[in-house]
Amino acid sequence: MSFESLGLRAELLRAVSEKGYSEPTPIQRQAIPLILEGRDIMGGAQTGTGKTAGFTLPLLQRLMSSGSAGKGRRAIRALVLTPTRELAAQVAESVRIYGEHLPLRSTVVFGGVSINPQKQKLIRGVDILVATPGRLLDHVGQRSVDLSRVDILVLDEADRMLDMGFIRDIRKVLALLPKQKQTLLFSATFSSEIKQLANNLLNSPALVEVARRNTASESVTQVVHPVDKNRKRELLSFLIGSNDWKQVLVFTRTKHGANRLSAQLMTDGIMSAAIHGNKSQGARTKALADFKSGKVRVLVATDIAARGLDIDQLPHVVNFELPNVAEDYIHRIGRTGRAGNEGEAMSLVCVDELKLLKDIERLLKREIPKDVISGYTPDPTIAAQPINRGRASKPGNAKRGSRKQTSQQRRGAQPPLHAIKNSRSKRSAVQSQQRGR
Ligand code: AMP
């Protein structure tokens, strides 16, 4: 199937071909025609599936065909809400790229940077606004945005927004939007909170779902390397050096852990940078740019900071520590093997983490192969220490930190949509197991 057959206009087809895409991804094939028809969408898809183009391309087309493009003073007609600054920046970049040949204007607003330049752009007028909820409300408070003419609302990574405690902000934003509009909701998981939000918000939505990396997983090889905790750093340096990996994304559980590991890798002579919520926006952008350009070989990240990172052809993801929430493992490994490329996800697992590993394998519904690296065999006399199940690393934006003692913590992580759909009894088993945490 080609992009041409999806009914997209010439300017968009041109942008797509300039980007080098030869055919639409499954989510694009499903979502684009439905969105062009004006349907509301409930999309089960995470980053890495091509969902951004899946909603951006038809959104741009609909704005063009609604007639008011380029006439009179511009009003915000499309609003895209995302949980993190990184994702907001990436969605905004996609809007810019795909809309390159159209006379539409867009901008992005997120916290952690000065509000005034954002205000000036908004006051000049934009058709499309990409925003994180908190900063959007700051603009509402300062009267720099008018949301009364929004025709299309996109909630991207809705589950993450709820996990990060944005539900009240989202409700406030929704109250400012016209009742009559097209709404597109994307979420990797469908908890009862998401379903409730969707029920209130969506009008006979079309359900669009694509196989997730963890289920398909044909392009991501997963492996567990059992190792003692105090030898993980050494093993990581060994793996990077002996395999001559050029670009590795490494996950730690805490911001402090990310900083420490990055510093230790530097002392091992491996160029590294840490990316997490306590870093300034400038530092995060620079770390990501250095990583993409190859200046930095290893990017050490916490879960929230890495969410939505769009790095083409990222071949290696390492879980230096397993996440407390099994769901996050799927998000992490979704960073590799994207858009048809091969990827490898390794987990360095010590005896304390075996319970977390079991949770992940239960969610994946299969075991991950174990491979003990010669010279790093775990010491059998070391006993497991209990792991603190609280989310040690809280997400970004310190100013809004208090809100982010997550709803995920209160209700436990939810299984992905395909798991929910499988069977009622399985679902209640998973949920009661999670509630028991
Ligand atoms: P997303 O899920 O939107 O974050 O997209 C994941 C990655 O796939 C991004 O790097 C996109 O540039 C890329 N991508 C999106 N659509 C296509 C396509 N039709 N063909 C190839 N790559 C794509």
Side-chain angles (χ1 to χ4, degrees):
M1 181 188 261
S2 66
F3 275 104
E4 282 77 8
S5 63
L6 293 175
L8 293 169
R9 53 194 295 148
E11 297 92 328
L12 294 170
L13 293 175
R14 188 175 153 203
V16 163
S17 98
E18 283 167 0
K19 187 91 173 104
Y21 303 158
S22 49
E23 56 177 42
T25 65
I27 187 118
Q28 291 163 0
R29 278 202 286 277
Q30 292 176 51
I32 291 174
L34 291 163
I35 299 173
L36 288 177
E37 273 174 31
R39 293 284 303 271
D40 280 5
I41 296 277
M42 173 127 153
Q46 64 180 60
T47 310
T49 52
K51 76 175 155 63
T52 316
F55 68 74
T56 306
L57 290 166
L59 177 151
L60 291 166
Q61 175 138 333
R62 281 188 63 77
L63 292 184
M64 285 305 293
S65 51
S66 75
S68 45
K71 289 186 196 150
R73 200 177 129 57
R74 286 169 198 266
I76 297 169
R77 290 181 297 136
L79 173 67
V80 184
L81 290 179
T82 75
T84 63
R85 312 162 199 182
E86 279 79 11
L87 188 59
Q90 282 172 9
V91 170
E93 178 65 3
S94 294
V95 170
R96 194 190 62 71
I97 291 172
Y98 301 131
E100 176 133 34
H101 307 296
L102 297 173
L104 296 169
R105 250 195 253 158
S106 62
T107 195
V108 57
V109 301
F110 48 72
V113 294
S114 164
I115 197 166
N116 286 329
Q118 298 178 349
K119 260 168 122 174
Q120 281 159 14
K121 283 196 188 139
L122 288 168
I123 288 162
R124 260 183 264 139
V126 295
D127 304 283
I128 303 144
L129 176 62
V130 184
T132 52
R135 179 51 68 93
L136 179 61
L137 286 175
D138 295 341
H139 281 285
V140 168
Q142 301 197 15
R143 298 186 190 285
S144 37
V145 285
D146 172 9
L147 300 176
S148 67
R149 295 188 44 202
V150 169
D151 290 330
I152 308 176
L153 168 69
V154 182
L155 295 173
D156 197 9
E157 300 205 354
D159 51 348
R160 287 292 140 192
M161 286 201 268
L162 299 196
D163 289 343
M164 291 171 73
F166 281 135
I167 186 67
R168 267 199 274 144
D169 288 355
I170 291 172
R171 290 222 175 89
K172 281 186 204 160
V173 172
L174 293 178
L176 300 168
L177 302 176
K179 274 238 149 359
Q180 191 71 25
K181 62 183 171 303
Q182 182 178 17
T183 306
L184 317 174
L185 182 148
F186 290 90
S187 187
T189 57
F190 286 83
S191 63
S192 51
E193 276 171 300
I194 291 283
K195 285 186 191 147
Q196 201 187 342
L197 182 70
N199 282 344
N200 292 337
L201 199 59
L202 302 176
N203 186 9
S204 334
L207 186 69
V208 173
E209 194 193 358
V210 291
R212 293 153 47 98
R213 294 284 175 207
N214 67 312
T215 50
S217 170
E218 69 296 336
S219 56
V220 181
T221 313
Q222 300 173 58
V223 65
V224 162
H225 296 308
V227 61
D228 287 333
K229 195 185 207 157
N230 61 2
R231 299 203 63 208
K232 281 189 178 186
R233 202 260 306 141
E234 206 185 319
L235 175 57
L236 178 62
S237 293
F238 170 74
L239 288 171
I240 294 169
S242 59
N243 294 299
D244 199 21
W245 291 337
K246 300 279 186 269
Q247 204 182 32
V248 196
L249 178 62
V250 177
F251 285 95
T252 60
R253 262 203 299 257
T254 66
K255 298 170 196 172
H256 179 62
N259 282 339
R260 193 176 46 209
L261 179 60
S262 176
Q264 287 170 336
L265 289 171
M266 293 290 275
T267 61
D268 287 349
I270 297 171
M271 281 302 283
S272 166
I275 180 167
H276 55 66
N278 279 2
K279 297 252 171 182
S280 70
Q281 185 56 35
R284 289 158 78 166
T285 309
K286 180 169 184 317
L288 188 58
D290 286 349
F291 184 60
K292 283 187 176 181
S293 73
K295 239 197 244 173
V296 158
R297 201 166 164 193
V298 181
L299 190 64
V300 188
T302 56
D303 289 284
I304 297 293
R307 188 89 52 219
L309 283 186
D310 178 14
I311 304 161
D312 281 340
Q313 300 179 15
L314 179 60
H316 310 289
V317 166
V318 176
N319 294 304
F320 189 76
E321 291 149 336
L322 290 180
N324 290 329
V325 177
E327 237 302 294
D328 283 343
Y329 176 86
I330 292 160
H331 281 279
R332 288 180 178 189
I333 70 165
R335 308 298 90 208
T336 183
R338 301 171 73 178
N341 293 305
E342 294 289 308
E344 200 181 5
M346 273 139 292
S347 302
L348 310 190
V349 176
C350 68
V351 63
D352 304 349
E353 297 170 299
L354 294 178
K355 173 83 176 63
L356 299 178
L357 180 61
K358 280 265 159 330
D359 290 348
I360 290 164
E361 292 183 328
R362 199 173 296 133
L363 185 66
L364 294 172
K365 298 199 179 64
R366 67 186 177 89
E367 275 194 30
I368 306 171
K370 318 287 176 301
D371 175 27
V372 176
I373 304 283
S374 155
Y376 293 89
T377 309
D379 179 347
T381 62
I382 298 179
Q385 299 291 315
I387 287 220
N388 174 10
R389 291 291 212 149
R391 212 175 234 248
S393 165
K394 274 181 239 134
N397 201 342
K399 206 175 81 187
R400 298 185 183 279
S402 59
R403 281 194 276 191
K404 292 170 185 166
Q405 189 62 20
T406 66
S407 57
Q408 185 169 7
Q409 259 181 333
R410 287 192 296 278
R411 64 175 163 70
Q414 293 296 328
L417 180 57
H418 66 85
I420 291 172
K421 277 171 133 187
N422 275 352
S423 84
R424 279 183 145 263
S425 57
K426 264 189 206 155
R427 176 174 65 178
S428 51
V430 171
Q431 285 177 340
S432 48
Q433 174 248 329
Q434 283 165 339
R435 271 196 298 271
R437 275 186 187 163

